[in-house]
Amino acid sequence: MTSTATPSPSPAGAPAASPAGREVEPPTWLRRLRGFGYAPAAAASPRADVRTRLVPPYAKPSRQLWLTFGLPPETWGIWQRIFSWAGPLLVALVAGVLRFVHLGSPKAVIFDETYYAKDAWATVRQGYEASWPKDVDKSILANPDGVALPLDPGYVVHPPVGKWVIGLGEWMFGFTPFGWRFMTAVLGTLSVLMLCRIGRRLFRSTFLGCLAGALLAVDGLHLVMSRTALLDLVLMFFVLAAFGALLIDRDRARARLADALPVDEEGRTRPDTKIAESLRLGWRPYRILAGVCLGLAAGTKWNGFVVLAFFGVLTVLWDAAARRTAGAGAPYAAMLRRDALPAFVSTVPVAIVTYVASWSGWIFSPDNGKGGYLRDWAAKNDQNSALSFLPEWLRSLWHYETEVYKFHVGLTSGHTYESNPWSWLVLGRPVSYFYESPEPGTDGCPATEAGKCAREVLALGTPLLWWAGCFALLYVLWRWFFRRDWRAGAIACAVAAGLLPWFNYQERTIFYFYAVVFVPYLCLAVAMMIGALLGPAGSSERRRALGAIGAGALVLLIVWNFIYFWPIYTGQTLPMDSWRGRMWLDTWV
């Protein structure tokens, strides 16, 4: 079964029944909403198995599928558990090959690698960033071992976690393009594996989970960011890990709630108002893990704190919904009494502590002017302030952060590849990371060419995937608003956390590649839409066949589109006409 539909206990347009048994006609506005597919919230019937609603089972492959492979019935459960990991691992293997093949090419410092590769090298060697000469990139490429680490500290505008991550690859493989791209390729591959498992848990379907991961594996923006030493792929990884941790926490908390509910004589779990409103859900380690991951995300780029706010609201709303399903008469009040404070404590303070700890290299550097940038600020300038009771390192860090904030909000200088977030979903202005024009007979350009060739690395999402994603997001919003599908709400929340905050900075210089943070959830949205195309459980053979044809055609077109753009994702040399043929929009040049 691959359907994403949620069964409803009664038809969407059915009138409610009064306590006396008389049907009560719903108000006019509600009847109008039902014309758009609105379904009333399902009440927990005393005769319903509430456990199934709290912790839905995973979809099982059809009996015919197992028989086709000649597997005896007694082994079906074992094979299902094997496939739940074998499928995601296979998808991740393919993603890894795509990300690691010729990872050191182009042998160049491309786009903002000129900042982060060098900052990472300094961070892993001395704990803080250095101030590099402007013309040092060529020397690094020619002889990295001969380049001395500068002694002066460097002024940087992003926290250190992403640079620690990139620097780990340099520590293992050297100060080379392969070394500084290694860890982003690792995290890009692992994020595909995580998305397969997250999609499986979200949709209760191994097939749809693997489909979401496969779509991420063939997204051009995710591929390019996985092969480039920039911070945004690191940020995406920690945000995705936090999302997965909260999903696991959701399932465990709801299972604990289901275990506490009474069971009737027929073995069905029944709702109970007192238990649903008073039960404490206890120790929730995965919520703490989410706090750590979001702290690491914020320690990579500050917008991780924005995601923390979105996900914090999402997780407590999940708790309220669980209590309502379990029979709570006032679920939001019960959530505020029992869940809100523990949720806050296990995420926000944990994230803040993690964020501050990520600055440890800077904190423990000397405060005599020979340590990190502004590390000695408090010692020189803040001895008699009202906050002098605080540690000097904390006051210096706070001052540094305020200076960085001023930089970010005041960054309005123009850039060739800047773009407005309104254009991101439709790929209005991708970013060229690298471009060369090889002469005929050189660097892969055929000698028979009349003119120069083109060699480019373009940060561009797979067009058909992103354009299908626009429709998928509309479908997700429809399911969330009219069907109150929590899965659609979770996807919409994650996309909003990565996209909406940028609309507050219309004057700031921002770039399309920031969108990589919400690419995994765009893939989840497309997978959910494809699940709907395949048809709900119980569909006729004709409906299933037509749905499979449509869904299969869409997936194959996306894969073909990825293969077609592969040369400009990986910096391969193309004849100029072939390169121009891939510039589908004028704004891509």
Side-chain angles (χ1 to χ4, degrees):
M1 294 172 61
T2 57
S3 170
T4 62
T6 302
S8 177
S10 60
S18 69
R22 298 188 303 273
E23 290 186 349
V24 178
E25 192 68 22
T28 303
W29 66 269
L30 186 57
R31 293 200 302 272
R32 288 175 178 171
L33 279 182
R34 290 179 181 180
F36 292 97
Y38 173 83
S45 167
R47 305 301 297 170
D49 189 350
V50 178
R51 175 177 291 276
T52 302
R53 295 185 57 212
L54 284 170
V55 190
Y58 285 87
K60 297 180 179 179
S62 67
R63 175 186 178 89
Q64 186 60 41
L65 179 64
W66 298 120
L67 295 177
T68 300
F69 287 100
L71 300 176
E74 59 271 17
T75 66
W76 291 353
I78 297 174
W79 282 107
Q80 186 174 1
R81 289 191 292 273
I82 292 174
F83 289 150
S84 70
W85 274 104
L89 286 171
L90 179 60
V91 174
L93 177 62
V94 173
V97 171
L98 295 174
R99 279 146 184 79
F100 278 96
V101 62
H102 301 306
L103 181 61
S105 177
K107 187 181 179 181
V109 181
I110 66 175
F111 199 62
D112 281 354
E113 285 185 342
T114 189
Y115 304 115
Y116 304 126
K118 291 179 290 191
D119 286 344
W121 182 248
T123 299
V124 296
R125 298 192 66 179
Q126 64 185 17
Y128 57 90
E129 298 85 351
S131 179
W132 293 84
K134 291 184 179 180
D135 57 351
V136 75
D137 289 353
K138 292 182 179 179
S139 300
I140 293 172
L141 293 171
N143 182 21
D145 294 330
V147 177
L149 185 66
L151 298 178
D152 293 334
Y155 171 65
V156 294
V157 295
H158 292 298
V161 170
K163 285 159 278 189
W164 281 108
V165 171
I166 294 170
L168 180 60
E170 294 175 329
W171 176 72
M172 291 187 290
F173 298 102
F175 199 18
T176 64
F178 181 87
W180 62 64
R181 295 169 192 162
F182 176 80
M183 283 305 298
T184 53
V186 169
L187 297 189
T189 303
L190 289 177
S191 65
V192 170
L193 176 62
M194 284 198 304
L195 190 66
C196 290
R197 295 289 297 178
I198 286 170
R200 179 179 184 270
R201 184 174 293 272
L202 190 70
F203 301 129
R204 291 305 198 252
S205 166
T206 300
F207 170 76
L208 288 182
C210 289
L211 175 61
L215 292 174
L216 186 62
V218 297
D219 175 62
L221 179 61
H222 188 272
L223 176 84
V224 172
M225 297 300 289
S226 299
R227 295 171 57 90
T228 312
L230 271 64
L231 302 181
D232 300 84
L233 193 284
V234 182
L235 171 64
M236 180 280 306
F237 175 83
F238 287 125
V239 169
L240 183 62
F243 186 79
L246 290 177
L247 272 180
I248 297 174
D249 171 75
R250 180 185 185 276
D251 277 357
R252 291 193 168 202
R254 291 169 75 92
R256 192 172 301 157
L257 190 57
D259 290 340
L261 293 174
V263 179
D264 63 18
E265 62 278 1
E266 297 179 6
R268 289 178 295 196
T269 303
R270 297 175 54 193
D272 186 283
T273 301
K274 183 178 180 180
I275 293 175
E277 293 184 350
S278 63
L279 181 70
R280 296 184 183 277
L281 296 176
W283 171 250
R284 299 174 71 166
Y286 280 96
R287 189 175 265 174
I288 296 174
L289 176 60
V292 172
C293 290
L294 290 170
L296 293 172
T300 303
K301 277 193 168 183
W302 278 359
N303 43 327
F305 281 126
V306 178
V307 178
L308 171 63
F310 275 79
F311 283 6
V313 173
L314 181 66
T315 188
V316 294
L317 290 180
W318 282 349
D319 286 342
R323 293 185 182 277
R324 181 180 61 227
T325 302
Y332 291 98
M335 176 270 292
L336 290 173
R337 287 196 309 270
R338 301 296 186 190
D339 305 317
L341 182 59
F344 177 85
V345 171
S346 58
T347 52
V348 177
V350 170
I352 293 174
V353 169
T354 303
Y355 175 82
V356 174
S358 72
W359 283 88
S360 57
W362 182 91
I363 292 170
F364 290 109
S365 68
D367 62 352
N368 58 3
K370 298 181 180 180
Y373 190 82
L374 289 181
R375 177 62 184 85
D376 59 344
W377 178 85
K380 289 182 176 180
N381 304 283
D382 195 39
Q383 290 299 320
N384 299 314
S385 74
L387 298 177
S388 59
F389 64 92
L390 295 174
E392 286 187 354
W393 67 264
L394 183 57
R395 285 179 282 144
S396 295
L397 180 60
W398 180 261
H399 176 73
Y400 191 0
E401 298 286 60
T402 58
E403 292 298 309
V404 169
Y405 177 77
K406 292 175 185 177
F407 168 85
H408 282 303
V409 297
L411 183 61
T412 57
S413 56
H415 193 283
T416 304
Y417 291 105
E418 67 178 310
S419 61
N420 193 287
W422 288 107
S423 69
W424 290 357
L425 288 174
V426 294
L427 309 180
R429 183 59 170 163
V431 182
S432 181
Y433 285 176
F434 172 84
Y435 185 87
E436 283 183 347
S437 299
E439 297 285 351
T442 65
D443 201 15
C445 184
T448 56
E449 283 295 303
K452 294 181 178 181
C453 292
R455 186 183 182 206
E456 183 175 30
V457 175
L458 185 66
L460 169 73
T462 303
L464 293 187
L465 172 60
W466 281 68
W467 294 338
C470 293
F471 292 98
L473 288 177
L474 292 176
Y475 170 71
V476 161
L477 291 174
W478 175 83
R479 277 208 70 90
W480 175 44
F481 186 79
F482 289 106
R483 295 300 178 95
R484 287 166 315 286
D485 190 325
W486 73 270
R487 301 163 301 178
I491 295 171
C493 175
V495 172
L499 174 62
L500 294 185
W502 293 110
F503 288 95
N504 291 324
Y505 302 99
Q506 294 290 311
E507 301 300 322
R508 189 185 185 278
T509 307
I510 55 179
F511 301 92
Y512 160 71
F513 65 81
Y514 297 171
V516 74
V517 175
F518 63 80
V519 167
Y521 316 102
L522 192 71
C523 294
L524 287 173
V526 174
M528 190 173 189
M529 181 179 71
I530 288 175
L533 286 175
L534 290 171
S539 298
S540 66
E541 295 244 347
R542 177 181 174 81
R543 169 68 179 84
R544 284 283 191 176
L546 292 175
I549 292 172
L554 175 59
V555 172
L556 289 176
L557 284 172
I558 290 171
V559 173
W560 164 82
N561 201 210
F562 172 76
I563 295 171
Y564 179 70
F565 282 98
W566 171 264
I568 63 172
Y569 292 147
T570 55
Q572 296 184 15
T573 302
L574 290 171
M576 190 59 69
D577 288 341
S578 297
W579 175 81
R580 288 196 185 100
R582 288 165 171 80
M583 298 297 106
W584 286 1
L585 301 178
D586 292 341
T587 55
W588 293 4
V589 179

